[in-house]
Amino acid sequence: DARMGTGMSPAAKQWWIDLTARTKASTMAGFLAVAPGVDVRPELGQIKCPCLVFTTDSKRHPLTEVQSWQVKIPRSELVVVPGDAYHAAASAPDFCAEHTLAFMRRHAA
């Protein structure tokens, strides 16, 4: 529940577990060894393409924290996903897909 939120169904959580369980253990170990130390905040202002940021107002990453770095991305938009999940796109895929499609239509070349 801390990652996927209290609103995600047990079946959807099991789907996520099954999906991520297909990742090789060595790949996951390598990712988890490196990812927590990655800090891309200094580079956010260099992003040139339109950027859509999804978040929830979770305990792990409160909305104010996400807003503090999202505003540094030129041409970015913030979408707050309802719920308490840490992993917004996995916990609300239909909501995120709808907003992504609308974003892409607005920024189509």
Side-chain angles (χ1 to χ4, degrees):
D1 286 347
R3 183 173 187 81
M4 296 305 189
T6 55
M8 192 174 186
S9 73
K13 288 178 186 174
Q14 188 59 54
W15 171 85
W16 183 257
I17 291 167
D18 294 343
L19 176 69
T20 57
R22 294 191 305 220
T23 303
K24 287 184 180 181
S26 60
T27 300
M28 188 59 76
F31 172 78
L32 293 174
V34 175
V38 174
D39 183 3
V40 298
R41 288 176 293 181
E43 287 83 29
L44 294 176
Q46 298 173 32
I47 297 173
K48 302 297 182 201
C49 63
C51 185
L52 185 60
V53 177
F54 287 102
T55 191
T56 60
D57 193 10
S58 70
K59 291 179 184 176
R60 186 167 186 180
H61 293 288
L63 181 56
T64 55
E65 176 187 317
V66 176
Q67 288 171 318
S68 72
W69 59 260
Q70 176 265 324
V71 297
K72 296 176 183 177
I73 303 172
R75 302 172 58 201
S76 69
E77 298 176 25
L78 180 67
V79 176
V80 180
V81 179
D84 58 353
Y86 164 68
H87 197 315
S91 66
D94 294 338
F95 179 91
C96 293
E98 178 183 325
H99 284 272
T100 300
L101 183 56
F103 180 82
M104 291 170 65
R105 285 182 176 142
R106 285 194 307 279
H107 294 279

